[in-house]
Every structure is written in structure tokens, then in C-alpha cells.
Amino acid sequence: MTEIRQPTPRRGTNLPRMGDFNLTVILDAIRRTSGGLSRVELAQIVGLSPQTISNISRRLLDQHLIVEAGKEGTGPGKPRTILRLNPSGMYAIGVHLDPAVITFVVLDLVGDVVKHSRMATPAGSDPATVITTIADEIKILIQDSGVDPAKVAGLGVAVPGPIDLDEGSVVDPPLLQGWNRVRIREALAQATGMETLVDKDVTSAAVAETWAGGQSGTGSFIFMYMGTGIGCGIVLNDEVIRGTSGNAGEIGHIIVDPGGPQCDCGLRGCVKSSCIPVVVVAEAEAAGILDGNRNSTEGPDVQEYFARLCDAADAGDEKAIAILDRSAVLVGRAAAVVTNTLDVERVVFGGPFWGRMSKYFLQRVPGIIEENSAARRIHSIEVVGTGVGEDVGAIGAACLVLEHTLAPRAQRLLLEG
Amino acid sequence: MTEIRQPTPRRGTNLPRMGDFNLTVILDAIRRTSGGLSRVELAQIVGLSPQTISNISRRLLDQHLIVEAGKEGTGPGKPRTILRLNPSGMYAIGVHLDPAVITFVVLDLVGDVVKHSRMATPAGSDPATVITTIADEIKILIQDSGVDPAKVAGLGVAVPGPIDLDEGSVVDPPLLQGWNRVRIREALAQATGMETLVDKDVTSAAVAETWAGGQSGTGSFIFMYMGTGIGCGIVLNDEVIRGTSGNAGEIGHIIVDPGGPQCDCGLRGCVKSSCIPVVVVAEAEAAGILDGNRNSTEGPDVQEYFARLCDAADAGDEKAIAILDRSAVLVGRAAAVVTNTLDVERVVFGGPFWGRMSKYFLQRVPGIIEENSAARRIHSIEVVGTGVGEDVGAIGAACLVLEHTLAPRAQRLLLEG
DNA sequence: CTGCCGGATCTCGGTCACTGAATCCCCTAA
DNA sequence: TTAGGGGATTCAGTGACCGAGATCCGGCAG
């Protein structure tokens, strides 16, 4: 279908790369410890000598990425100087282009939202117009946020898959008509003048978790993104897995309900035909829990109806509870397939639909995953809901920039070609 | 179920680590180019300066890991000196502990088998006795091979999962009775005096592919291991994925046949209940292709019956062909689930049963994977059979040692705790 | 046969990140 | 007030990579 990808040869590394990498390692360690860290603690954690830590801290202080935040002394000896991230040391813009709604955020260095906005996705407009609209909104957003534009490191864009990572393009996503092979990266980079990164929404969500998710964003986990569709983001040993073309995490055709409804792939009971919100809502309608007047199968509508289903369940409607419970079981099975394949230590749930369903899912999914875990004799698998709210997509998009600039990715060490 | 794994903090790197890493990078580049490489070409490929390449080449020559192998000059100028791997620069021992048979190999640096042997797995013996037997056989093997023991870098052991990588133990595999939490790594290290590594057989097979598989062992791929069970090894960007506890690649409960037979997990049509060899053989018996006198469901027997089924198919028996064809479709679906989850560029098939089935699988699987690929608009997925023969398990086990010692793993750069 | 030329490789000094040892600094406790 | 302990910094040292230039090794024209 496309050109053959020649294997990227493995490259060497050199002194400057090493320096940069160690800098990001230290920043990462500071970032991941809520209370901040002293220089000695850092030396302990990252394994470098105290002198090196001192030097690197100085560089970080000079760049205003960290600040000295008080002292901490118990017992004799000079008290430790605590180093903490400087929230206003850097900012990133994130845009989530969803078929229904476009979300914008300005994120600071610690991952807090400084400013945010939304607009309905213009229906029927051609991509070029939409892109211009996005670029305009970004400019306004930066202005309104009062953030120094010089401190904005770049722009991240989360889009529904499939994508082509090399091209930075969206490749004909099911719900965005006319968006076939639109090179949104180039277009937005040009329109905004910012360095721009594009990634899939589910991958972005996983990155959001690593950056703004606290303890549950460390180590190896999958992020189950509950949106209009269901996908997963993958993080192994603190590094995001993107796949050859950036399309990792497509789990829509994992079969979870052998006796379930027919799917367009010809088989029965795939995730996308048995437990995504549209289907769940339809089931609820069929069961008479919701009135059947829904006039579209698109995002906002579905989300509203889904909320009503959850309301019914919250109010004690047995049938509603059963439907949600069953969808939790099915999604749990899909997650188990992935955890068994990758042997991760945690499953994090999130996404626009997560908030309402969390109660039912958290009751059911851990058991399903535990039962089905091939490694259950060796370690348990934690199941948690994300702390990052409904805007994970956009926040993750912004985190793409932070991750690219500041995360200690092994890739950063290697020389470029 | 067990202790909580605290997140490994990300560590820094330093000068010596960098040097070692670059050395492995260069060795890797040489290893992966069949004809050898000159110093200038190396500089080009790995991105280091010619001087550095010279220095590192000298170190490699001193260690006898590479040799200068002739010159190559077209046109004017000094001809290039070709650097090639020195096969006898290092050796590794590999053992594959299979429920039916134990395989031993001595491997040289280029991944060629120098010496190999096998024995039936002693049935009913306790693990300690088996381990002693293995250690003895290893000593004999090294002696017989005539290899300088000082050049043997270590011992790799491939075992059926699940395993506990931290402990280096086998955790109650279905077909090895009495092998629950047996710390085989320690035991064999002590008995042989060699540095010992333990890993799952499917992971080892994937490592074998990266080391001895040529072009198809590069980049990102999954290795579908067709043994008594079916599992997969995962390699992303030239690095093997092991998972938190070393148990990645468990795909036995992926559902591939919604209308299929009941599985012990309560659902229908899982891989392990619908397309592993035992099941296929049983189907063939039911269809009257094989006589039903099989007296065990264990390895050697199954393999023999499976071979007969293939014979029948080769001879043109339509029913036999249909059965193999169908199993190919099912396995293909499982592979597609994994390729969609990880977005890899290649699927490599192998394992003890592969040789006989390859013809039927290679006809069917590529189409199944292509059809089901979520990224088919972006890139195609190559499907190939491994060049590494029936002994992949043992060869892979030996490759674990080579990989651990000589592969440019990012992990190598990081300081230890 | 000789000198010239181009390309590969090596030699030598320079740079820079990390490290070991020693020093400076700051606070607690007697 | 003083001793002492631990944190952070300074200073010189190491070693890997890099730039410039020298050296080596053929082929080719004269």
C-alpha cells in the first residue's frame, strides 16, 4: 500500500546527548515527586554523583524550569534545599480534534490547565477552513491566557486514528468526512508558527497520564480511552509505545462477546460492535430504559443519552445497571487481552465517557482482569480511573509537547540521521 | 498476590556507559550486515565520527569480537577494510526446557549452531534431579564442542511460561508437574558456574530472530511461536519486550472463533481451545483423517500426528487441507489482534510445529492480517516464516546471553541501582 | 616506472560531562 | 559558644567523542 520502510539503523550517542538526557532524567525525577526533591535525594535516585546533580540543577535553575523551594531539615546538618518544578517555566498548547467537539488547552509545566476552551466541530466544512479556525482560536487562547508566548514550547494535536505519523496526517477517520490524508501537522505549524506534534487521541491520553496523572502514570500501563470509540494507549517502562506508524492501540476488533452482535468485520462480538457507547445506548433503548427518539448517532447526542442511562442506573434501575455492568465485563475482557499480551502492571481508565461509567466499571473490571490474567500467580494488576478529567485528549495533546521536549526518552540519546 | 513492585526510577548515564553502548551499537551494525562493513560505512550508519569508529573498532579487534576481512576498493583511493564478526569470538550455551524434550545448543557469535543435543524430558523426576541432569549435559556438550570454556559468555534457559523474571523461576507451567516456583536460574548458575539467564520460550524465540534471523529480525515485529501452545514474542524497535514480570506474549485466550468450542475460561473459541495443535489433531481425528489411537496428548505424540495430518494435506486430502486452512485463519486473527494493538511491521512465524504447517499458513495468514489491519491504509504488514529452524527455543536461549552481553539495549546506558 | 590523486584511516590535541577528594556552608545539640 | 554532622560546591582529573591534519594505500596517466 505504501513504500517499504527501511529499518532504522541503530545509532550511537555522544557527550552532548548524554548531558541533555541526564538533564531530562533529573527533571523527570523532580516532576514525579509531589513534594519536590533535594540534590542529595536526586543523586540517590538517578545514580549520578552529587556534583553532577549540582551542575545540572544549576542549568535547570538558569532555564527557570525548576525553583528552589525552601529548606527541609530534621536533625543536625545543613538542611536540604528542595527543588521543585516551576509551573510557569514552560507552557504547551493542546488541541483535541474530535468529530463532535474541538477542545483547546494551555498547559503549564506541571500539567495544570491554565486556560481552556471548546467549540463544536464545524460540520461539513472542509479541513482547510477548520484548520484556519483552529489556528485563530489558538492565537486568541494564548493572548487571553496572559502567558508569555516565548515560553510556549509548542503545539500538540490529538486526532482520531488512523494517522500517518511520518506525514503528520489524519488518514480517513470514520467520523470525520473529507479528512483523508490531511497533513494537519504541516498546516498548523505553518499557520501558528509553532513546533507542532500530532498523535492519536488515545496515545495522547496515555501521555497525559504519564505527565499529569501522578503515581498511576508511572511504569508500564495501558490507558483505556472511553470515547465515541474505545482504544488504548500503551506505556511500557515509562515510554509511550506508538508503533511503526503511530497507530498502536487499535483494539476495536478484539472479540469479547462470542455470542454477540455481528460486526462489520464479519465476526461476532467485537469491542466496537458490542460495548462502545453507541451500542450500549442502543441496548438501553431496546430495553425501554431510554426513549428511542435519538436523532443522530453522533458524539454529543450519544453522550447525553449515555448520561441518562447512567442516571437511571444511579437511581437504581436494575436493567440499566445490568447493561452497564455487562459492558464493563466486555471492556474488561478486551483490557485483559492487552494486559496478557504486554504484561503490564496497571490499567488506567479515562476519556470523555469515563466519568459517568466509572462507578460501574471499577466494580467489575478488576475482577475480570484478575481472573483472566495469565500472570496472576506472579503479580496483580491494578485497575484505576484517571485523575485527568474529561479533557484528557487536549491535555494529552499538550503533554505531547512536554514529553517530546522534556521526557527522558531513550530516543533522545541517539544521534539523528 | 505478591509484593507491590515499586516503580523503577529512571536513572542517569555516564561516560563509561556511553562508551560501552556505542561499542555494542557498532557491533550490532556489523552483525546485521551480511557482507561486513568498512569503518567509513559504519560512521555513516551509526552517526559517530570516523575517529571514534576507529577507536571502537580497535577495542573490538582487541577483544577478538571482529576481524578485518579483506579490502574492497573500486576506483581510486585507499580501499576500505571490511570488518566482520568473528564467529569464534564468543560462544553461548542455550537450553530449551520443553515438557517433552530438552534441547541444548552451543552457539557462536554469528548465531550458528556449533554443537547440539537433545534428550527426552525425564517424566516424573523432581526438578532438582532434572536440573542436575541438565548441568551435566551442558558440561559434556562444551567439552565435546571443543570450544574454549573461557570464551563461553553464559547460559540461557528457555522455559514455558508463566515465569517470574525477578526470581528467575518457573511458575507452575501447565505441562511440567512439580515445577512450581522452581528457581532454575540460581540452581543452574550454581551447578554450572556460568552466568545464567532465564526467559520464556516465546520471548527467546523472538530474540533468536533478532540475532540469527537476518533481515526479518529487525525493527518491530511479533514472533508467533507455534509449539504445544501458541504464544508470541514481541520486538519493538529492535528491543525485546518482556513485560513487568517477563510474561508478555500470552495470547492463548484471544477469541478467534466466536462459534467455536468452549474454553476453560468460560468463553468460546479462544486460541488455546480452537487452534493449537492438540485441537487441530483432534479435529482431524474426528473427521476421520487420522485414526484415533493416540495414547497421549503430550508433545511428541501430538507432533507426530500433526505431521501425519500435514502429510494427508500434502497428498491432496481436501478435508485435511480444510482443517489446516481453517487453523491458519484462526491463528491469523489472533496475530491481527496483536499487530493492531502494537502496530508492528512484520509477523514472523516459527516454532517446532511451524515447518510442516508453513505452506498452508503462508497462503492464508497474510490475507487475514491485511484485511483486519487497522493501519492497512498506511502500511502493509509483512508475514514471513523464520529462517531459524526447529530449535528456535534453544537457539533463542543462547541468544539471550548474546543479547544481554552485546545488544545495544537502551537499558545498558542507564546506571544501575 | 614514477608521480599524482582520491579516499580511507590514523594521530594528536581539544572539548566537555561526569567523578573523587576536599572544602565550604548551615543547622542542631551539648 | 563550640563541636559535629550532613548538604552543596569547588577543583582537578578522567575518558569518550570530535576536528584538523597527517599518513597510508591503491589506481592511473604520463
Side-chain angles (χ1 to χ4, degrees), chain A residues 8-133:
Chain A
T8 350
R10 188 159 286 271
R11 319 215 83 216
T13 185
N14 61 15
L15 221 51
R17 301 248 154 204
M18 185 173 97
D20 285 357
F21 178 80
N22 280 344
L23 185 129
T24 62
V25 168
I26 290 179
L27 197 66
D28 196 64
I30 295 176
R31 181 169 82 70
R32 296 199 119 112
T33 314
S34 52
L37 285 171
S38 70
R39 291 174 174 78
V40 246
E41 287 169 316
L42 276 168
Q44 240 279 327
I45 292 172
V46 306
L48 293 165
S49 66
Q51 308 85 298
T52 303
I53 304 289
S54 255
N55 291 334
I56 294 181
S57 313
R58 192 171 309 124
R59 280 168 65 195
L60 286 168
L61 286 165
D62 288 349
Q63 295 180 248
H64 301 292
L65 291 175
I66 59 172
V67 287
E68 296 196 330
K71 317 223 159 197
E72 180 186 73
T74 59
K78 178 173 172 176
R80 305 172 161 185
T81 330
I82 301 299
L83 302 174
R84 222 190 288 269
L85 233 48
N86 176 19
S88 58
M90 183 182 280
Y91 297 90
I93 314 296
V95 177
H96 182 192
L97 171 61
D98 182 85
V101 58
I102 307 182
T103 316
F104 301 80
V105 296
V106 180
L107 220 65
D108 67 16
L109 189 53
V110 299
D112 285 342
V113 176
V114 174
K115 183 92 191 163
H116 111 147
S117 78
R118 279 165 190 255
M119 57 169 69
T121 307
S125 314
D126 72 312
T129 318
V130 176
I131 287 173
T132 313
T133 314

Side-chain angles (χ1 to χ4, degrees), chain A residues 393-405:
Chain A
I395 293 174
C399 289
L400 291 175
V401 176
L402 299 177
E403 190 239 2
H404 186 258
T405 322

Side-chain angles (χ1 to χ4, degrees), chain A residues 56-383:
Chain A
I56 294 181
S57 313
R58 192 171 309 124
R59 280 168 65 195
L60 286 168
L61 286 165
D62 288 349
Q63 295 180 248
H64 301 292
L65 291 175
I66 59 172
V67 287
E68 296 196 330
K71 317 223 159 197
E72 180 186 73
T74 59
K78 178 173 172 176
R80 305 172 161 185
T81 330
I82 301 299
L83 302 174
R84 222 190 288 269
L85 233 48
N86 176 19
S88 58
M90 183 182 280
Y91 297 90
I93 314 296
V95 177
H96 182 192
L97 171 61
D98 182 85
V101 58
I102 307 182
T103 316
F104 301 80
V105 296
V106 180
L107 220 65
D108 67 16
L109 189 53
V110 299
D112 285 342
V113 176
V114 174
K115 183 92 191 163
H116 111 147
S117 78
R118 279 165 190 255
M119 57 169 69
T121 307
S125 314
D126 72 312
T129 318
V130 176
I131 287 173
T132 313
T133 314
I134 292 177
D136 292 344
E137 176 66 19
I138 289 171
K139 277 172 208 153
I140 295 170
L141 197 74
I142 297 179
Q143 199 124 47
D144 290 0
S145 69
V147 161
D148 175 4
K151 287 197 167 179
V152 176
L155 167 65
V157 187
V159 298
I163 63 170
D164 185 321
L165 206 56
D166 293 340
E167 279 185 9
S169 65
V170 185
V171 183
D172 207 14
L175 296 170
L176 279 175
Q177 293 211 339
W179 284 76
N180 189 21
R181 293 219 167 261
V182 175
R183 297 196 180 222
I184 191 170
R185 170 156 31 95
E186 277 171 28
L188 276 173
Q190 192 139 41
T192 62
M194 287 193 272
E195 207 188 310
T196 307
L197 297 168
V198 171
D199 219 323
K200 261 198 346 181
D201 42 15
V202 296
T203 307
S204 306
V207 174
E209 192 65 23
T210 66
W211 203 271
Q215 204 51 41
S216 57
T218 60
S220 300
F221 66 91
I222 59 169
F223 189 105
M224 295 290 291
Y225 182 88
M226 313 301 285
T228 311
I230 296 179
C232 81
I234 301 168
V235 176
L236 303 179
N237 288 322
D238 292 313
E239 290 207 37
V240 186
I241 301 297
R242 297 198 154 83
T244 314
S245 59
N247 286 293
E250 292 291 341
I251 58 173
H253 287 290
I254 293 180
I255 299 172
V256 289
D257 184 12
Q262 187 85 24
C263 177
D264 56 23
C265 70
L267 299 175
R268 296 189 156 279
C270 296
V271 166
K272 67 169 281 193
S273 58
S274 70
C275 51
I276 62 173
V278 202
V279 177
V280 175
V281 166
E283 273 176 34
E285 283 172 345
I289 299 164
L290 304 173
D291 47 13
N293 303 336
R294 202 152 45 91
N295 40 24
S296 87
T297 56
E298 270 162 36
D301 246 28
V302 173
Q303 196 150 4
E304 193 200 313
Y305 276 72
F306 190 86
R308 280 203 228 155
L309 169 60
C310 295
D311 287 341
D314 288 354
D317 183 327
E318 301 271 332
K319 282 193 287 184
I321 294 175
I323 287 176
L324 287 172
D325 191 63
R326 175 150 177 79
S327 79
V329 170
L330 301 184
V331 171
R333 284 183 194 154
V337 166
V338 182
T339 56
N340 280 334
T341 305
L342 295 172
D343 189 23
V344 295
E345 58 203 87
R346 191 180 314 111
V347 178
V348 181
F349 276 89
F353 286 79
W354 173 246
R356 293 309 309 270
M357 60 173 59
S358 61
K359 186 171 132 196
Y360 304 94
F361 273 57
L362 287 177
Q363 258 169 32
R364 236 3 180 120
V365 176
I368 296 286
I369 289 183
E370 172 80 18
E371 270 167 43
N372 288 286
S373 166
R376 68 179 165 285
R377 305 281 308 276
I378 296 99
H379 65 93
S380 55
I381 297 172
E382 199 185 347
V383 177

